[in-house]
Amino acid sequence: MTVTLKAGPTGAGSIDDFELFYARRALDRFRTRLGRQGLLDLLAADIEEGNTFLRDSAVASDGSFTAGTTVLATRGLTSGEFLAWMDKAFSGDEKALLAAHPEHYVMAPGADGAFNVVENIGPHVCSFYMGGWGTDALAWAADADELLPETEFPHKMSSNLFLADGTVIGRALTQFGDTADGFTAHLTISVPTTCPGDVLEHHLRHYAVEFRNWIVAAAAARA
């Protein structure tokens, strides 16, 4: 069964495009009205459940992780332009960071230089921190043969993902390299090996959505 739009709206786009616009507008309204603390209060039980799942998975995995990578190709924007936008956004533009994905709830600086993220890891809503940039997280990436050649991918960021109690529940590695007409992004995430396969699969999809939207936002800001 199919439904085709034949006439009516004068703006360009499909019905799916219209629905996405309204869904994003409604979500932004809820986020704005609730505020950061309101969202945390609303999701408190979900976060406790999600963090318990990740903590138990990390303990059961005994320090072993399974990694996967999402690869995005961009035209019309350099990696340097994108990363400059990202640096600015992560320095205080939480609204821009949240807007990139429907399941972003909090993205804000935390204590001791760590960055607090509340989002879904697979089906689980979790509150975790990103930190340890370029230290043991980068060593993990090298040991796991995830590092790409510096000559092709000179822009690398690596981070541990950990709970408030210090439990490492994942690692992230992003690598960017310019091409003739843009850049390529290799976005690697690792999760505890005992996690069901859909946890990793859904975060690879999560990467595709959020980074695509961040790249589009960076291009719009430049324009």
Side-chain angles (χ1 to χ4, degrees), residues 9-204:
T10 57
S14 68
I15 299 175
D16 287 341
D17 295 324
F18 302 155
E19 182 179 17
L20 180 59
F21 171 84
Y22 296 125
R24 285 174 170 168
R25 188 166 69 177
L27 183 57
D28 180 66
R29 186 181 303 276
F30 292 142
R31 283 176 175 147
T32 301
R33 293 298 189 196
L34 285 167
R36 185 189 298 167
Q37 190 57 51
L39 280 168
L40 289 172
D41 293 342
L42 181 67
L43 296 171
D46 301 90
I47 292 170
E48 181 177 1
E49 181 181 341
N51 284 6
T52 297
F53 165 80
L54 284 177
R55 185 181 296 106
D56 291 347
S57 296
V59 170
S61 299
D62 194 26
S64 61
F65 296 89
T66 301
T69 300
T70 292
V71 181
L72 300 179
T74 296
R75 297 177 62 186
L77 192 73
T78 68
S79 61
E81 290 171 324
F82 171 62
L83 292 173
W85 181 91
M86 286 285 285
D87 285 344
K88 184 177 180 181
F90 271 89
S91 295
D93 193 354
E94 185 176 18
K95 188 177 180 70
L97 297 177
L98 293 176
H101 199 290
E103 292 182 335
H104 283 175
Y105 305 109
V106 173
M107 302 196 81
D112 300 323
F115 198 87
N116 184 214
V117 177
V118 180
E119 67 179 23
N120 277 61
I121 301 290
H124 307 281
V125 180
C126 308
S127 177
F128 61 90
Y129 295 84
M130 299 190 299
W133 301 94
T135 56
D136 56 331
L138 196 58
W140 159 80
D143 290 342
D145 295 327
E146 298 291 348
L147 290 179
L148 297 170
E150 285 282 341
T151 53
E152 298 175 43
F153 291 87
H155 306 292
K156 302 179 187 294
M157 293 180 288
S158 182
S159 174
N160 290 317
L161 310 179
F162 57 93
L163 302 179
D165 63 5
T167 303
V168 176
I169 50 86
R171 293 189 172 99
L173 170 67
T174 58
Q175 302 177 91
F176 303 91
D178 286 323
T179 60
D181 56 2
F183 70 92
T184 301
H186 279 244
L187 313 168
T188 300
I189 185 73
S190 73
V191 297
T193 54
T194 60
C195 287
D198 69 321
V199 172
L200 179 60
E201 169 62 23
H202 277 284
H203 207 78
L204 295 178

